[in-house]
Amino acid sequence: MSKPKVLISDALSPAAVQIFKDRGIEVDFQPNLGKDKDKLAEIIGNYDGLAIRSATKATAKIIDKATRLKVIGRAGIGVDNVEIPAATAKGIIVMNTPFGNSITTAEHAITLMLALAREIPQADASTQAGKWEKNRFMGVEITGKTLGVIGCGNIGSIAADRALGLRMKVIAFDPFLSPERAKDLGVEKVDLDELFKRADFITLHTPLTEKTKNIIDAAALAKMKKGVRIINCARGGLVDEQALVDALNSKHVAGAAFDVFVEEPATSNVLFGHPNVICTPHLGAATTEAQENVALQVAEQMSDYLLNGAISNAVNFPSITAEEAPKLRPFIELAEKLGSFAGQLTESGIAKVQITYEGHVAEMKIKALTSAVLSGLLRPMLGDVNVVSAPVVAKERGMVVDEIVRAAESDYESLITVTVTTERQERSVSGTVYADGKPRLVDIKGIRVDAEFGKSMIYVTNEDKPGFIGKFAGLLGDAKINIATFHLGRTKQGGDAIALVEVDGAVPADVLAKVKALPQVKQVKALVF
Ligand SMILES: NC(=O)C1=CN([C@@H]2O[C@H](COP(=O)(O)OP(=O)(O)OC[C@H]3O[C@@H](n4cnc5c(N)ncnc54)[C@H](O)[C@@H]3O)[C@@H](O)[C@H]2O)C=CC1
Ligand SMILES: O=C(O)CCC(=O)C(=O)O
């Protein structure tokens, strides 16, 4: 197997390059490439992994050209520069490093708050210009002031902790902040209007979503205390920039410190040049420590995935640890093959898939196994589907997916049963993994079998009547098709029967037609695994 190849298209710490090399991954480090989208589109097809910060925009157009890409790793938190639905639809894992730069970013927010309180950048510029304007700069003390934190997750809670250390009072608005967590943090949980009414300083730490876009707009600004100061180290677009300029001009807002902007890179902006505004060029995560953290972490995570299938911090797939991956792998293979078996037999629209996990397998990563069933099921019909994209594709097609988890009820330590309901019928197939790690089919439509999944198989349903097996085997022999394994099963004597035959090589259509014409045969299918 050739080495996986990774492209680093942004200015990541070189520590990442070393990790990839040490793990046996080929790596191209082109720190400025992310800004050149045409060049990126031209070469992205050569890589299995793409490691980025925020300059690279992994758009649907780029992803479309990424024919062998398996993983996009964001050395940082926000993945808003990656079109996740496009990546998911193409089966590409998108992962981030959710904690590596949190402290650094919270520190930047606190730094900006203090800089605002004492007008440090303005005083610095004036002093270095030889003006000595001692009377121009009159700051505010922050001790005893109220900091309003909007979004009290990883970064917001660190910012809150630091502000408490500076003897501020901290109030927080975050719909997902539990009262217990608020108590532990020492912050008062309030609603948004209350925060606007009481805060002397407001700092934002939410992602940019439909709900948080313009969370501070003209109406919100009007509700704030006169003289409030606002810090945004999260994402441009959380604050309506023009409304803020108006509020600064009317002196309702005393100052604003922004690290992030609606348009980035921000070479011009309505906020620029205002005497009470401080700006930094998206430096929230820019410390040596944070950059080393996120670079090391993203390189380790991407290597783990590319080399062992371990998944951590993926935003579009459940996590699978390096320990779980080898135990899960044979069951993923089983799940995919059971799905594929059912999918290859299905000729009409699928309304529902029920997947039952029994015994040990029920304690594994069910979501990953279900994704594998769905990918096996959909691939015969849709082609380009994998475990990452399959759940989305199933949902888009209106398929109901039910998972049932229970203790072992059968002879098997672990059993997965896939039941597919189409417009015409319901079909079940069950399988297990034996100690040899190989997936086995153990039940088809309630008929017990014990068969491995061969590369090329013929599946026949027939009436259990004498004469069928001889004629069937004879037809294959006449066509020079060698039989590798032969499995039979039936509901009862003279009832419904199945034959599952592994053969060497492909099965020509005319041979299938001859098998189909045998008097006992109801259905025949060539299956490929
Ligand atoms: N300036 C920079 O360089 C950096 C910026 N960031 C940005 O900081 C933001 C926060 O990062 P983390 O704290 O790590 O994320 P997080 O996910 O730990 O916290 C976000 C919090 O926002 C809350 N939230 C979601 N919707 C909300 C709403 N409508 N109103 C109030 N709260 C809401 C969530 O409940 C969550 O607690 C992200 O957008 C990230 O991209 C992160 C790192 C560096
Ligand atoms: O990589 C950077 O400098 C930006 C960090 C950031 O915005 C994030 O992690 O969300």
Side-chain angles (χ1 to χ4, degrees):
M1 207 178 80
S2 64
K3 281 184 180 180
K5 211 169 160 189
V6 165
L7 172 66
I8 304 178
S9 59
D10 282 338
L12 257 70
S13 157
V17 179
Q18 199 51 48
I19 296 279
F20 283 126
K21 282 189 181 156
D22 291 349
R23 299 285 304 265
I25 288 177
E26 227 181 286
V27 53
D28 264 357
F29 186 24
Q30 302 198 37
N32 290 314
L33 185 80
K35 291 171 198 141
D36 184 348
K37 53 182 190 310
D38 294 332
K39 180 81 185 147
L40 180 62
E42 195 185 306
I43 66 167
I44 192 66
N46 301 324
Y47 299 95
D48 304 283
L50 174 68
I52 57 173
R53 274 177 68 185
S54 51
T56 299
K57 310 287 174 230
T59 57
K61 228 168 159 180
I62 300 287
I63 287 167
D64 188 48
K65 303 257 187 245
T67 42
R68 63 183 249 204
L69 198 66
K70 295 175 189 70
V71 55
I72 299 175
R74 160 68 157 120
I77 295 170
V79 281
D80 34 6
N81 51 332
V82 180
E83 278 194 41
I84 296 180
T88 305
K90 211 148 193 251
I92 299 167
I93 292 275
V94 180
M95 41 177 66
N96 69 350
T97 56
F99 310 107
N101 62 24
S102 324
I103 292 176
T104 274
T105 306
E107 285 182 359
H108 197 61
I110 297 290
T111 307
L112 289 178
M113 179 179 73
L114 292 169
L116 267 183
R118 304 303 285 267
E119 298 180 74
I120 300 294
Q122 297 89 333
D124 171 63
S126 151
T127 309
Q128 297 210 46
K131 294 186 186 164
W132 201 253
E133 297 177 291
K134 203 164 158 52
N135 296 332
R136 182 181 148 198
F137 300 105
M138 184 56 71
V140 287
E141 204 167 76
I142 60 157
T143 298
K145 295 287 185 320
T146 298
L147 173 65
V149 177
I150 301 180
C152 202
N154 291 324
I155 299 173
S157 55
I158 299 168
D161 176 65
R162 303 305 190 259
L164 289 167
L166 291 167
R167 304 285 186 268
M168 296 181 84
K169 169 153 187 63
V170 181
I171 58 177
F173 168 70
D174 185 327
F176 303 99
L177 177 69
S178 68
E180 297 76 36
R181 173 85 179 132
K183 197 164 166 243
D184 283 353
L185 290 171
V187 307
E188 183 185 342
K189 185 174 152 90
V190 294
D191 66 28
L192 195 55
D193 280 355
E194 170 101 3
L195 183 145
F196 290 150
K197 202 165 89 191
R198 287 173 51 193
D200 301 297
F201 293 82
I202 292 175
T203 184
L204 294 133
H205 298 288
T206 70
L208 180 67
T209 64
E210 276 314 307
K211 283 228 170 75
T212 58
K213 190 169 181 214
N214 288 334
I215 194 166
I216 295 186
D217 58 7
L221 288 160
K223 290 177 191 162
M224 291 177 194
K225 249 186 187 176
K226 185 169 164 50
V228 66
R229 290 172 171 83
I230 299 169
I231 301 112
N232 185 6
C233 272
R235 278 296 177 266
L238 296 177
V239 180
D240 178 338
E241 291 169 345
Q242 185 55 55
L244 177 60
V245 170
D246 297 341
L248 283 158
N249 286 339
S250 71
K251 303 257 184 317
H252 184 66
V253 172
F258 272 48
D259 183 48
V260 285
F261 303 90
V262 172
E263 285 283 332
E264 289 187 20
T267 45
S268 70
N269 186 283
V270 283
L271 290 165
F272 290 180
H274 195 285
N276 298 330
V277 169
I278 301 171
C279 294
T280 50
H282 205 143
L283 291 184
T287 63
T288 319
E289 292 83 353
Q291 284 316 308
E292 194 138 322
N293 280 344
V294 295
L296 292 176
Q297 198 184 336
V298 86
E300 289 287 6
Q301 287 177 191
M302 290 174 72
S303 304
D304 280 346
Y305 180 58
L306 290 170
L307 300 172
N308 312 319
I311 301 178
S312 29
N313 299 320
V315 296
N316 59 351
F317 202 75
S319 289
I320 298 171
T321 64
E323 257 194 348
E324 285 168 326
K327 287 183 210 141
L328 200 58
R329 198 169 296 124
F331 286 93
I332 295 262
E333 193 187 338
L334 170 67
E336 191 144 11
K337 289 199 157 132
L338 289 172
S340 173
F341 188 92
Q344 293 184 69
L345 295 184
T346 301
E347 275 157 5
S348 50
I350 298 172
K352 184 176 160 189
V353 189
Q354 182 178 290
I355 307 153
T356 307
Y357 299 98
E358 283 180 50
H360 285 176
V361 69
E363 286 151 28
M364 295 183 182
K365 283 277 157 63
I366 297 307
K367 284 275 164 276
L369 292 167
T370 296
S371 301
V373 169
L374 294 176
S375 104
L377 182 68
L378 293 168
R379 201 173 307 119
M381 287 165 263
L382 304 175
D384 201 12
V385 183
N386 75 5
V387 287
V388 180
S389 58
V392 179
V393 176
K395 199 166 170 207
E396 274 168 3
R397 303 197 154 235
M399 280 167 53
V400 175
V401 180
D402 274 355
E403 293 163 322
I404 297 174
V405 169
R406 62 181 180 221
E409 285 181 4
S410 61
D411 308 339
Y412 304 100
E413 259 186 27
S414 288
L415 189 74
I416 304 179
T417 300
V418 177
T419 306
V420 175
T421 310
T422 67
E423 293 145 16
R424 294 218 304 261
Q425 61 181 323
E426 191 177 280
R427 183 183 281 118
S428 276
V429 54
S430 306
T432 191
V433 175
Y434 287 155
D436 62 4
K438 284 193 189 150
R440 299 284 208 293
L441 265 169
V442 296
D443 193 294
I444 301 169
K445 298 196 306 182
I447 299 174
R448 281 187 91 135
V449 288
D450 186 351
E452 283 184 31
F453 294 86
K455 265 200 179 122
S456 171
M457 301 187 96
I458 306 173
Y459 171 71
V460 183
T461 56
N462 59 290
E463 290 163 15
D464 180 36
K465 285 192 180 150
F468 160 69
I469 296 170
K471 282 189 198 141
F472 177 35
L475 277 176
L476 297 183
D478 292 347
K480 309 254 175 307
I481 295 174
N482 192 43
I483 295 175
T485 62
F486 204 117
H487 301 274
L488 297 171
R490 63 184 184 184
T491 49
K492 57 176 191 228
Q493 192 178 349
D496 283 338
I498 57 168
L500 190 61
V501 180
E502 182 186 354
V503 294
D504 297 335
V507 187
D510 64 316
V511 177
L512 284 183
K514 284 181 192 157
V515 177
K516 177 87 184 31
L518 294 173
Q520 302 89 344
V521 170
K522 293 182 185 169
Q523 185 196 15
V524 59
K525 275 266 177 190
L527 307 175
V528 183
F529 294 101

